[in-house]
């Protein structure tokens, strides 16, 4: 992996894969107050797919918050992840309509097929598997999303086929 | 105005999930070379989610809605209908004379959903053309703020987010609270699984919500509003953003609105995935950038809310009612509904129902009419077992009380709640104990952890339910369940904990026999609880075609074509794909009450002994 050097001269950021100027810009784009924390973290995660430790240091200094405070917020909300995610994020909907339509069967099969548990990523970094509460497409239950694409009216074997298309 | 042909594709989330984008592109291509020029447009969701993708074709002869459109149907629609003016009758879902889906709309009274599926949500002119922003104009020019509050109070509108507090009173408290800076918050953190009316309104008619917030701002004396929307709803956020920009461009948001001294701005805050943030004090903590944990009330947000300023929080659906009330008058609104619940309620009909989608009905309609008249009854001949209403912390009601009227008070009496209006229709394939376990696991996951009854209590309940669904419980566990449930309700800090035991209490009240069957006989009548059932192949019926082997996603079936096939119970995940795909109905889920189960059981113990 290529290592980027950091222009900010701050010891923490050096030799990191995080471009700290980008993170600083994200912080600067918001008002310097605690209320900006969640939007800034959302921007960071949008960029990197997760919240890299080094980025959190920059956010902490930029918003004048402690890293422990940020850690508390980042671990409270499900959206945030502290480890890199796979190329394709698979969300298996476990809303009520999907549950009664057999969502658990889909999760069981995908877990076994990809050999991961929920919230884990495959060794080849291709897929991250997640169970989510409701995607709001209840009339198509059971539903999964792979990245931005929604797939509905599934059965466990159809779900497996859908996912295999992304494996290439 | 010359009548022009229009083709409009429903591009709400359900439409998109069903493939509306491809249908839209197909029309783009076909219409580029069509004989008759037609304008291609988009709209939101009309509520017929079960027939998505929906396409309207509007010609001088009228409007026709096609259902379940796929790209390969597009060329025929363009050729026969757009070019030659001949609608294709076998694909029609709705037209000016009715159509097969007409009963779905006939029983509805659409106030909140008045514009959904009727206009392009990304064009403010479409909204203005249906008297959009007329209500805020009427309020500013003709009504004093106090008068607006009075009007909303007189309408009887109650909060549509779940608790059902009188909206006008909330406005009055916030208006009367001391403080120069006041806030309006629109709660669009629609976390209830199985409820998607807020998403649909925001995607299909964002201006009606913005106008409702403007009116609230004017009435209360607030200059700033926040819309707190789930991050899981990217399309709603995008369309809201566009709508806010357009409204600003027309001088309907910002400083000195419509030339008055009333100024109002709206910001969108994206949630980050925490169900508890639907609770108002948690939601405000989240906007402030903190962990979304609820706090004790009082003080209520009306006196000390966002950054300790007086704040009025209402739900999306509540705001979507407001402009209609101001335009039509409180009297007309109050004439709809029951004594204690005025107006209409939007329900998200899902589960084993024929027409799953969004329906808005007058308060006071019976559950039976909602399910059978509007929803078209059960799907694929399923047997109506009950309805789960009010979201994950609502209740499960059995067929016997299907005559219950849907209003706040009647539903509370049954042990369910109105909640946000999710209605999941259940049939004989739903196990009520498993369903209670599912909701409890949801509540346990989403408990913020601040107060002990909710954090620890939901965990203990979940453990007992796990035991019951695994067939390892005793009858005494039911008593413990009841005690825990009642205690958690009484002692939790916020609405999440106070309602979390509802699914357990309501299933115990109406479906206790199923709990007892699990405990005493190890029997799950729905064939859902994996520890109490087995999937077996009847060697008598099996024709050795090996279809099941091909379909089994976990390769748990051994054998081959023209050979004996067998399910390895250790590998089987009971996903039941084989049951569904076997052409000979030779594979079945069996319970301890059936002979096959016992055969399997004795074979297994025989294996164990020989080992």
């Amino acid at each position: 992996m290529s290592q980027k050097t950091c222009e900010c001269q701050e010891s923490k950021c050096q030799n990191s894969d995080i471009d700290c100027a980008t993170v600083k810009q994200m912080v600067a784009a918001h008002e310097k107050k605690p209320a900006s924390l969640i939007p800034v973290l959302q921007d960071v995660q949008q960029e990197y797919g997760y919240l890299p430790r080094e980025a959190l240091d920059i956010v902490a200094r930029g918003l004048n918050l402690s890293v422990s405070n940020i850690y508390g917020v980042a671990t409270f909300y499900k959206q945030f992840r502290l480890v890199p995610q796979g190329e394709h994020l698979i969300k298996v909907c476990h809303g009520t309509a999907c549950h009664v339509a057999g969502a658990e069967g889909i999760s069981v099969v995908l877990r076994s097929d990809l050999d991961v548990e929920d919230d884990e990523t495959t060794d080849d970094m291709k897929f991250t598997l997640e169970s989510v509460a409701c995607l709001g497409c209840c009339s198509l239950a059971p539903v999964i999303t792979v990245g931005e694409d929604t797939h509905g009216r599934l059965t466990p074997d159809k779900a497996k086929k859908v996912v295999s298309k992304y494996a290439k | 105005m010359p009548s022009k042909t229009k083709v409009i594709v429903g591009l709400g989330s359900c439409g998109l999930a069903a493939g509306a984008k491809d249908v839209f592109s197909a029309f783009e291509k076909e219409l580029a070379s069509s004989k008759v020029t037609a304008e291609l447009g988009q709209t939101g969701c009309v509520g017929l989610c079960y027939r998505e993708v929906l396409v309207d074709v509007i010609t001088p002869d009228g409007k026709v809605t096609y259902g379940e459109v796929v790209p390969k149907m597009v060329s025929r629609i363009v050729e026969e209908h757009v070019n030659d003016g001949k609608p294709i009758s076998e694909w029609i879902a709705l037209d000016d004379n009715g159509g097969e889906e007409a009963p779905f709309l006939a029983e509805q009274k659409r106030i909140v959903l008045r514009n959904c599926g009727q206009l392009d949500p990304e064009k403010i002119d479409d909204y203005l053309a249906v008297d959009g922003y007329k209500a805020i104009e009427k309020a500013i020019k003709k009504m004093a703020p106090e008068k607006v509050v009075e009007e909303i109070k007189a309408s009887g509108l109650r909060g549509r987010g779940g608790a059902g507090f009188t909206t006008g009173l909330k406005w009055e408290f916030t208006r009367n609270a001391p403080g120069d800076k006041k806030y309006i918050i629109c709660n669009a953190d629609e976390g209830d699984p199985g409820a998607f009316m807020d998403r649909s309104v925001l995607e299909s008619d964002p201006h009606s919500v913005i106008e409702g917030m403007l009116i609230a701002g004017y009435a209360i004396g607030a200059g700033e509003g926040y819309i707190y929307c789930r991050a899981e709803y990217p399309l709603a956020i995008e369309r809201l953003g566009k709508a806010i920009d357009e409204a600003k461009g027309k001088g309907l948001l910002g400083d000195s609105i419509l030339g008055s001294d009333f100024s109002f701005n709206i910001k969108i805050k994206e949630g980050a995935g925490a169900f508890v943030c639907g609770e108002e004090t948690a939601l405000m903590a989240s906007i402030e950038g903190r962990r979304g944990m609820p706090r004790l009330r009082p003080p209520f947000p009306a006196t000390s809310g966002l950054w300790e300023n007086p704040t009025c929080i209402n739900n999306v659906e509540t705001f979507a009612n407001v402009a209609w009330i101001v335009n039509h008058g409180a009297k007309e609104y109050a004439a709809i509904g029951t004594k204690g619940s005025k107006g209409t309620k939007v329900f998200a009909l899902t589960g084993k129902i024929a027409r799953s989608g969004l329906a808005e009905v007058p308060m006071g309609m019976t559950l039976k009419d909602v399910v059978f008249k509007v929803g078209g009854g059960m799907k694929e001949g399923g047997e109506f077992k009950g309805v789960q209403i009010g979201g994950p912390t609502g209740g499960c009601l059995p067929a016997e009380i299907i005559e219950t009227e849907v209003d706040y008070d009647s539903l509370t009496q049954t042990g369910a709640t109105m909640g946000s209006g999710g209605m999941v229709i259940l049939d004989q394939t739903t196990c009520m104990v498993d369903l209670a376990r599912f909701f409890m696991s949801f509540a346990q996951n989403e408990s913020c952890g601040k107060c002990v009854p909710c954090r620890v209590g939901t965990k203990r309940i979940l453990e007992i339910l796990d035991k019951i669904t695994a067939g390892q419980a005793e009858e005494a566990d039911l008593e413990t369940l009841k005690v825990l449930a009642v205690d958690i309700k009484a002692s939790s800090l916020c609405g999440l904990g106070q309602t979390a035991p509802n699914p357990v209490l309501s299933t115990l009240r109406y479906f206790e026999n199923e709990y007892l069957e699990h405990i005493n006989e190890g029997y799950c009548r729905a064939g859902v609880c994996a520890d109490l059932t087995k999937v077996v192949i009847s060697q008598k019926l099996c024709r050795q075609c090996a279809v099941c082997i091909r379909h089994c996603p976990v390769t748990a079936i051994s054998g081959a074509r023209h050979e004996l096939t067998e399910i390895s119970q250790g590998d089987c995940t009971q996903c039941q794909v084989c049951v569904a795909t076997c052409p000979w109905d030779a594979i079945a889920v069996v319970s301890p009450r059936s002979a096959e189960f016992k055969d399997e059981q004795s074979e297994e113990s025989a294996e164990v002994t020989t080992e």
Side-chain angles (χ1 to χ4, degrees):
Chain A
M1 219 182 262
S2 71
Q3 287 187 335
K4 290 170 190 156
T5 47
C6 175
E7 13 176 326
C8 81
Q9 306 293 315
E10 291 181 33
S11 58
K12 281 266 175 71
C13 310
Q14 277 177 2
N15 302 323
S16 119
D17 282 313
I18 301 307
D19 179 2
C20 103
T22 310
V23 180
K24 278 187 160 180
Q25 270 167 16
M26 288 172 188
V27 180
H30 296 268
E31 286 178 83
K32 189 175 175 170
K33 54 183 191 188
S36 301
L37 176 58
I38 294 172
V40 170
L41 294 181
Q42 283 167 333
D43 288 351
V44 173
Q45 178 149 307
Q46 177 75 31
E47 174 77 17
Y48 297 105
Y50 74 112
L51 300 176
R53 176 68 173 80
E54 297 89 337
L56 297 187
D57 287 326
I58 300 168
V59 174
R61 278 194 295 275
L63 294 177
N64 203 17
L65 294 167
S66 70
V67 180
S68 63
N69 180 340
I70 294 179
Y71 182 77
V73 170
T75 51
F76 183 84
Y77 295 99
K78 274 201 193 67
Q79 187 188 25
F80 299 122
R81 48 182 78 242
L82 298 171
V83 288
Q85 87 177 34
E87 189 185 332
H88 304 287
L89 176 62
I90 304 170
K91 291 182 181 173
V92 182
C93 182
H94 281 257
T96 317
C98 288
H99 178 78
V100 298
E104 188 52 32
I106 291 178
S107 277
V108 167
V109 165
L110 291 183
R111 279 177 211 135
S112 121
D113 190 40
L114 299 169
D115 195 20
V116 290
E117 289 301 312
D118 279 4
D119 300 317
E120 286 181 1
T121 301
T122 52
D123 290 338
D124 60 2
M125 294 300 286
K126 271 271 181 203
F127 297 104
T128 300
L129 186 65
E130 249 184 18
S131 288
V132 297
C134 186
L135 294 164
C137 309
C138 309
S139 53
L140 300 173
V143 174
I144 67 168
T145 60
V146 184
E148 306 268 295
D149 310 332
T150 307
H151 305 272
R153 300 188 176 118
L154 294 175
T155 58
D157 61 330
K158 276 191 204 156
K160 199 176 142 179
K161 272 185 208 139
V162 163
V163 169
S164 69
K165 285 190 192 139
Y166 292 85
K168 288 157 198 155
Chain B
M1 211 172 73
S3 42
K4 208 176 153 191
T5 303
K6 284 185 188 168
V7 173
I8 297 170
V9 181
L11 293 180
S13 278
C14 342
L16 288 169
K21 217 185 240 170
D22 295 338
V23 171
F24 191 86
S25 316
F27 271 110
E28 242 173 356
K29 220 174 109 197
E30 289 289 333
L31 289 174
S33 57
S34 63
K35 213 163 57 193
V36 174
T37 7
E39 190 187 316
L40 180 63
Q42 63 160 343
T43 188
C45 167
V46 72
L48 293 155
C49 306
Y50 60 104
R51 292 298 300 268
E52 293 285 1
V53 177
L54 293 164
V55 174
D56 296 338
V57 177
I58 303 166
T59 63
D61 296 334
K63 177 173 159 182
V64 169
T65 305
Y66 292 108
E68 285 154 339
V69 178
V70 292
K72 67 175 179 203
M73 291 158 72
V74 169
S75 62
R76 195 175 150 200
I77 294 175
V78 171
E79 226 160 84
E80 294 182 22
H81 193 172
V82 176
N83 285 343
D84 300 341
K86 289 183 199 128
I88 304 160
S89 54
E90 67 264 35
W91 294 344
I92 295 176
L94 284 171
D95 62 19
D96 294 336
N97 306 320
E100 55 178 328
E101 305 304 343
F104 179 70
L105 294 172
E107 301 288 330
Q108 296 193 41
K109 169 80 189 163
R110 291 166 77 99
I111 292 177
V112 171
L113 304 179
R114 59 192 181 275
N115 298 322
C116 292
Q118 310 298 329
L119 47 75
D120 183 339
E122 299 187 17
K123 286 188 183 146
I124 194 170
D125 288 336
D126 276 23
Y127 184 67
L128 291 170
V130 289
D131 290 339
Y133 292 103
K134 278 279 185 303
I136 182 63
E137 190 180 336
K138 179 179 174 186
I140 290 178
K141 294 194 173 153
K142 295 188 186 147
M143 297 166 88
E146 298 85 347
K147 178 78 185 61
V148 178
V149 174
E150 281 311 316
E151 193 74 6
I152 298 299
K153 261 168 75 179
S155 75
L157 176 64
R158 292 169 68 171
R160 299 292 191 246
F165 192 76
T166 307
T167 306
L169 274 181
K170 212 181 221 182
W171 288 21
E172 188 173 67
F173 292 150
T174 319
R175 175 167 175 78
N176 293 340
D180 301 330
K181 205 168 173 63
K182 292 179 185 177
Y183 292 99
I184 303 293
I185 296 177
C186 172
N187 186 346
D189 192 46
E190 186 175 52
D192 280 11
F196 50 93
M197 59 285 291
D198 293 354
R199 189 208 71 208
S200 191
V201 170
L202 293 172
E203 282 176 3
S204 309
D205 190 19
H207 288 289
S208 71
V209 179
I210 295 174
E211 189 175 6
M213 290 179 72
L214 270 167
I215 295 167
Y218 173 75
I220 286 161
E224 220 177 312
Y226 284 93
I227 301 176
Y228 186 90
C229 186
R230 280 181 97 192
E232 289 88 337
Y233 290 172
L235 187 64
I237 292 169
E238 186 191 318
R239 290 197 177 147
L240 268 175
K242 281 187 189 160
I244 289 171
D245 289 344
E246 277 198 304
K248 271 187 197 154
K250 296 263 181 197
L252 294 162
L253 263 181
D255 294 336
S256 310
I257 292 165
L258 297 168
S260 70
D261 55 2
F262 169 58
S263 301
F264 194 77
N265 282 297
I266 294 179
K267 285 185 189 151
I268 303 173
K269 278 273 177 180
E270 270 181 55
F275 175 73
V276 70
C277 286
E279 197 280 340
E280 54 186 19
T281 60
L283 186 152
M284 292 186 299
S286 180
I287 292 182
E288 291 171 10
R290 294 182 283 121
R291 288 162 71 94
M293 291 164 121
R295 63 161 171 77
L296 209 60
R297 295 173 306 179
F300 286 92
T303 50
S304 176
L306 198 57
W307 293 293
E308 294 172 7
N309 294 301
T311 304
C312 171
I313 304 189
N314 287 131
N315 163 270
V316 171
E317 195 184 328
T318 314
F319 280 126
N321 274 296
V322 168
W324 193 96
I325 295 171
V326 172
N327 275 331
H328 293 77
K331 220 183 238 172
E332 200 176 325
Y333 191 83
I336 309 163
T338 62
K339 189 162 170 280
S341 308
K342 302 296 184 191
T344 60
K345 178 76 191 91
V346 183
F347 289 101
L349 304 176
T350 60
K352 307 293 169 69
I353 190 163
R355 299 193 187 109
S356 71
L358 279 187
E360 181 174 0
V361 300
M363 295 273 192
M365 189 184 262
T366 61
L367 277 173
K368 187 176 178 183
D369 284 350
V370 175
V371 175
F372 289 91
K373 277 195 180 160
V374 179
M378 303 302 290
K379 192 159 50 181
E380 294 148 19
E383 195 181 303
F384 181 78
K385 179 170 183 176
V387 51
Q388 201 283 333
I389 180 168
T393 59
C396 302
L397 306 181
E400 298 91 85
I401 54 169
I402 195 172
E403 299 285 352
T404 305
E405 292 183 349
V406 288
D407 70 19
Y408 290 97
D409 313 305
S410 316
L411 285 175
T412 308
Q413 272 171 23
T414 63
T417 59
M418 178 76 87
S420 56
M423 230 187 235
V424 188
I425 316 305
L426 311 169
D427 69 5
Q428 71 283 1
T429 63
T430 305
C431 165
M432 303 314 278
V433 186
D434 171 73
L435 193 67
R437 196 192 137 276
F438 163 75
F439 287 122
M440 197 41 72
S441 130
F442 178 83
Q444 161 62 28
N445 259 318
E446 297 295 344
S447 171
C448 80
K450 185 170 179 173
C451 73
V452 176
C454 175
R455 182 183 70 230
V456 183
T458 55
K459 182 90 182 157
R460 293 290 95 86
I461 287 193
L462 184 59
E463 284 165 358
I464 297 176
L465 294 175
D466 278 338
K467 255 168 74 181
I468 299 176
T469 52
Q472 293 162 354
E474 299 159 17
E475 251 182 68
D477 286 321
L478 291 186
E479 272 319 299
T480 320
L481 259 191
K482 284 178 198 161
V483 171
L484 267 172
V486 170
D487 286 354
I488 294 169
K489 268 175 87 79
S491 56
S492 288
L493 175 64
C494 83
L496 173 58
Q498 286 158 14
T499 55
N502 283 347
V504 174
L505 287 171
S506 67
T507 45
L508 273 172
R509 175 166 162 190
Y510 297 114
F511 300 95
E512 193 175 16
N513 61 329
E514 290 196 30
Y515 280 85
L516 291 172
E517 283 166 357
H518 280 73
I519 294 172
N520 296 333
E521 298 177 60
Y523 174 59
C524 172
R525 60 168 65 202
V528 169
C529 295
D531 289 331
L532 304 181
T533 49
K534 280 177 201 291
V535 180
V536 293
I537 301 173
S538 153
Q539 300 303 344
K540 264 185 238 142
L541 296 172
C542 175
R543 307 270 191 96
Q544 307 181 346
C545 68
V547 165
C548 55
I549 301 179
R550 273 209 313 279
H551 281 279
C552 177
V554 291
T555 55
I557 309 180
S558 59
R561 242 177 105 85
H562 310 305
E563 275 180 27
L564 213 60
T565 46
E566 206 171 4
I567 298 175
S568 151
Q569 296 298 337
D571 297 323
C572 176
T573 60
Q574 303 211 357
C575 72
Q576 302 183 19
V577 165
C578 54
V579 179
T581 51
C582 175
W584 320 107
D585 290 331
I587 311 180
V589 182
V590 295
S591 73
R593 282 195 184 172
S594 70
E596 292 101 315
F597 189 91
K598 283 172 193 131
D599 291 349
E600 283 281 321
Q601 203 86 329
S602 53
E603 270 170 42
E604 264 174 50
S605 41
E607 277 166 38
V608 176
T609 11
T610 44
E611 273 167 21

